[in-house]
Amino acid sequence: MDTPVTATLPAPARPQTPQAGPGTVRSSLASNLNRRRLARGLSLRELSAATGVSKGLLSQIERAEANPTVDVLVRIADVLETSATDLLRQPMLRPEIIRAGELHEPDDETSVNLLFAGRGEGRIEIYRSRLHPHGTSQVSSHGTDSVEYVTVLSGRATLVVDDVPHQLETGDTARFSGLSSHYYTTQDSPAVTQTIVSYPGD
């Protein structure tokens, strides 16, 4: 009588825990926390004592192995003099491009498009503006310690700061205090400008 043959089936594979790769929120938190802790000269033990968060959990966070609660994040951020948002901030992994053809720029009126806005040590806003012939922008002022940078991309524009005009040709760049009252005008031809306004850190 033949001996029955039994086949041994392989044990089902255990699901693997996803690892925190580059660009994930967990890895960004790990990097940001480690960088800010070292910048303030704190050891894990010292940060633990100051926050009330265990040294083991802090170590796990810096190794991208833990998902801390919002309360824990806020306590860590307060000691490091930052915000939970900044601790979770992810790096820009690819360029962000705004195509000129996608902007709303009517030929017969002045237009202003906010291109980017962000916050780092301070805050910046980047604008692209198109002024039609014989056009005048709104009078602006951005507050104490702000700085405005403008580059004329095409055409010719007059920058008026505190009632003093400054003629800018294509390719010219200017920098001035954003606290000053200022505006832009054109003559017989349109002009396109790119403006960056930087604000002091909070």
Side-chain angles (χ1 to χ4, degrees):
M1 181 177 181
D2 294 336
T3 303
V5 177
T6 58
T8 302
L9 298 177
R14 297 178 60 183
Q16 295 183 348
T17 302
Q19 298 299 311
T24 66
V25 173
R26 193 185 296 179
S27 65
S28 296
L29 172 59
S31 175
N32 292 336
L33 173 55
N34 178 264
R35 175 172 53 82
R36 288 188 175 272
R37 177 177 64 80
L38 294 178
R40 296 190 63 80
L42 295 174
S43 67
L44 284 172
R45 186 181 304 278
E46 290 169 332
L47 183 58
S48 174
T51 59
V53 178
S54 72
K55 178 184 173 183
L57 178 55
L58 290 172
S59 178
Q60 287 181 320
I61 295 172
E62 288 200 2
R63 296 198 306 270
E65 296 175 352
N67 292 319
T69 64
V70 173
D71 177 65
V72 167
L73 277 179
V74 170
R75 284 151 61 188
I76 294 172
D78 286 345
V79 170
L80 296 179
E81 298 184 355
T82 184
S83 67
T85 299
D86 282 339
L87 286 178
L88 293 171
R89 192 178 305 280
Q90 293 182 266
M92 187 178 298
L93 300 178
R94 58 184 61 87
E96 297 178 24
I97 300 174
I98 297 176
R99 303 296 180 186
E102 299 172 353
L103 301 177
H104 180 64
E105 295 183 333
D107 292 335
D108 58 348
E109 62 183 64
T110 296
S111 63
V112 178
N113 288 278
L114 175 62
L115 301 181
F116 298 105
R119 182 180 292 275
E121 294 303 317
R123 176 166 59 93
I124 67 167
E125 295 174 346
I126 304 176
Y127 296 90
R128 173 186 167 100
S129 302
R130 186 182 189 281
L131 289 85
H132 63 281
H134 302 286
T136 301
S137 70
Q138 291 184 337
V139 177
S140 301
S141 178
H142 305 295
T144 304
D145 293 335
S146 63
V147 178
E148 181 163 332
Y149 306 79
V150 59
T151 298
V152 178
L153 302 180
S154 66
R156 174 185 298 173
T158 300
L159 165 65
V160 182
V161 180
D162 292 334
D163 297 324
V164 178
H166 306 270
Q167 187 71 44
L168 301 177
E169 306 288 341
T170 298
D172 288 350
T173 299
R175 177 178 67 175
F176 56 94
S177 170
L179 179 62
S180 301
S181 175
H182 60 277
Y183 62 93
Y184 299 89
T185 67
T186 56
Q187 297 301 318
D188 296 331
S189 60
V192 177
T193 65
Q194 179 167 289
T195 304
I196 299 175
V197 183
S198 66
Y199 299 87
D202 296 332

